[in-house]
């Protein structure tokens, strides 16, 4: 199946796009084309000649699945052309994530929703994906009533240019950053984490509060999470649930460095939150370029392709 599918990677020169190309190879996809802006057209990336992502090129009808990892503005402009050409598009920007009727998918959490698409499936934010992988089994067992989260997000989450800047920065100048849009109260990263988690978990009223910061780490996002549940759930019970959860690996001391380069979300420090009655605290880390972006999108594509084959 994978070998024959015609895949287009739009944004293939970027931080997520280059990881996508490596993962597509690992997953057996051999018919892959790479698209980016006019700036990169003609360059060679991982053995592919980069094509310019023009409306004409994307709507030609010669690609089955497009994996988009460009900015929100470029996605809004280009994705509709690819859909017009008949392709299924998995978009990693925030352009479509909260659009009613467009599925926002983490395969382990709400994979069935991917099949209810009209050509566009949105891939969630790189902190939302690992968070929902961990919350899902805990919610099913004990019912979530509140979530608080503090993130420690790596620089690769801000793209290839930010990675270059960190490489060139003197360690004495390293600092936390909050490089998102601020609405006077919250960063859009914090409101995205809330809104996307509610949509994916299908818990539209779930109280969820986030504080997001960028740390001078190259790859891997970490999150400290405090949850409250309706039913009591012991730390041991939560650990057993997470040990059985798909794409989650229990690890005593998760860190971005331990998570970078692997597919699973690492979760540990699972303990009672003694400040409230049914409270748990835990810490997770995941590779933002893999499960937080490229891998999740490929898993969505694989779900849709398997369904298309089964229906044929
Ligand atoms: N980094 C992460 O951890 C992460 C996680 C989840 C989601 N995302 C989302 O994924 C998207 C890409 O992120 P990134 O970190 O990979 O960014 P990046 O490293 O800055 O890469 C951006 C890519 O988009 C291409 N591009 C920009 N404008 C374009 C246009 N008008 N037409 C066609 N291609 C265009 C660039 O091509 P050129 O080389 O030609 O400039 C480059 O390939 C963003 O929407 C981001 O929010 C990122």
């Amino acid at each position: 199946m994978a070998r024959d599918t015609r895949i287009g990677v739009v944004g293939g020169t970027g931080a997520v796009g280059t990881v996508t190309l490596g993962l597509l190879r690992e997953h057996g996809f051999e018919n892959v084309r790479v698209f980016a802006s006019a700036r990169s057209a003609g360059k060679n990336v991982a053995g592919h000649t980069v094509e310019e992502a023009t409306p004409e090129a994307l709507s030609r009808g010669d690609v089955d699945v497009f994996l988009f990892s460009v900015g929100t503005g470029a996605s809004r402009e280009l994705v509709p052309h690819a859909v017009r050409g008949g392709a299924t598009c998995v978009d990693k920007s925030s352009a479509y994530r909260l659009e009613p009727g467009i599925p926002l998918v983490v395969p382990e959490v709400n994979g069935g929703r991917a099949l209810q698409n009209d050509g566009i499936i949105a891939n969630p934010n790189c902190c939302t994906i690992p968070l929902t992988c961990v919350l899902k089994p805990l919610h099913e067992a004990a019912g979530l009533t509140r979530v608080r989260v503090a993130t420690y997000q790596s620089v690769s989450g801000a793209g290839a240019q930010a990675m270059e800047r960190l490489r060139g920065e003197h360690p004495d100048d390293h600092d936390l950053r909050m490089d998102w849009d601020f609405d006077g109260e919250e960063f859009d990263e914090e409101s995205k984490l809330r809104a996307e988690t509610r949509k994916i978990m299908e818990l539209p009223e779930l109280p969820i509060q986030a504080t997001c910061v960028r740390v001078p780490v190259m790859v891997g996002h970490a999150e400290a999470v405090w949850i409250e549940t309706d039913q009591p759930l012991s730390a041991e019970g939560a650990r057993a649930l997470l040990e059985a959860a798909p794409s989650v690996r229990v690890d005593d001391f998760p860190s971005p460095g331990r998570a970078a380069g692997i597919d699973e979300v690492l979760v540990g420090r699972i303990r009672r939150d003694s400040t409230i009655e049914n409270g748990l605290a835990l810490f997770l880390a995941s590779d933002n370029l893999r499960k937080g972006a490229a891998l999740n999108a490929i898993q969505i594509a694989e779900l849709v392709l398997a369904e298309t084959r089964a229906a044929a």
Side-chain angles (χ1 to χ4, degrees):
M1 167 181 83
R3 225 180 17 245
D4 313 334
T5 308
R6 299 166 301 174
I7 304 281
V9 178
V10 188
T13 55
V16 175
T18 47
V19 171
T20 302
L21 294 175
L23 282 169
L24 284 169
R25 236 189 340 269
E26 281 177 31
H27 285 234
F29 290 93
E30 292 178 358
N31 193 345
V32 175
R33 286 162 62 194
V34 175
F35 298 84
S37 78
R39 286 180 294 274
S40 305
K43 279 189 192 164
N44 188 291
V45 176
H48 303 272
T49 302
V50 178
E51 301 173 50
E52 185 181 349
T54 60
E56 298 70 37
L58 301 186
S59 62
R60 213 165 272 143
D62 53 4
V63 168
D64 301 309
V65 176
F66 277 107
L67 302 172
F68 276 84
S69 53
V70 297
T72 298
S75 277
R76 278 198 200 288
E77 187 198 326
L78 295 173
V79 168
H81 295 290
V83 173
R84 187 159 55 82
T88 300
C89 298
V90 184
D91 183 55
K92 281 168 254 178
S93 78
S94 55
Y96 299 101
R97 290 179 189 156
L98 301 178
E99 288 281 314
I102 294 191
L104 177 67
V105 176
V106 179
E108 298 80 355
V109 180
N110 66 340
R113 290 281 177 212
L115 309 176
Q116 300 163 359
N117 75 81
D118 290 324
I120 307 175
I121 303 153
N123 195 73
N125 172 281
C126 40
C127 280
T128 311
I129 293 171
L131 180 65
T132 55
C133 285
V134 164
L135 292 182
K136 166 87 184 252
L138 305 179
H139 175 65
E140 282 182 342
L144 289 176
T145 55
R146 188 180 312 275
V147 176
R148 296 180 178 89
V149 56
T151 72
Y152 308 76
Q153 299 180 221
S154 66
V155 164
S156 58
Q161 284 182 2
M163 295 169 82
E164 271 314 300
R165 269 199 301 279
L166 180 65
R167 282 193 191 99
E169 192 174 88
H170 193 279
D172 289 351
D173 295 327
H174 288 353
D175 198 1
L176 298 182
R177 308 225 188 273
M178 300 184 201
D179 49 7
W180 300 282
D181 289 339
F182 189 60
D183 69 6
E185 186 170 276
E186 277 192 326
F187 290 102
D188 64 343
E189 190 78 354
E190 294 161 350
S191 44
K192 278 181 199 169
L193 195 48
R194 175 188 302 112
E196 294 180 21
T197 301
R198 286 174 168 173
K199 179 168 175 176
I200 296 161
M201 304 277 300
E202 299 182 15
L203 295 170
E205 307 296 330
L206 179 69
I208 170 164
Q209 182 69 20
T211 298
C212 295
V213 300
R214 179 96 53 212
V215 293
V217 162
M218 198 58 83
V219 177
H221 289 0
E223 302 177 41
V225 186
W226 294 264
I227 68 165
E228 282 179 58
T229 54
D230 186 33
Q231 301 299 311
L233 178 61
S234 67
E236 298 70 32
R239 187 182 174 99
L241 290 165
L242 291 167
E243 277 169 345
S247 301
V248 171
R249 189 194 300 176
V250 174
D251 184 77
D252 285 339
F253 302 105
S255 72
R258 291 172 66 77
I262 65 170
D263 288 350
E264 290 93 351
V265 177
L266 300 181
V267 60
R269 309 286 327 277
I270 306 160
R271 60 206 190 277
R272 197 168 73 83
D273 175 356
S274 59
T275 65
I276 41 170
E277 198 181 333
N278 288 339
L280 285 172
L282 52 87
F283 195 72
L284 66 84
S286 86
D287 186 324
N288 52 294
L289 299 175
R290 290 174 80 92
K291 186 58 184 162
L295 175 63
N296 196 73
I298 292 172
Q299 290 170 328
I300 291 171
E302 287 173 334
L303 262 179
V304 174
L305 288 168
E307 184 65 17
T308 313
R309 287 287 152 126

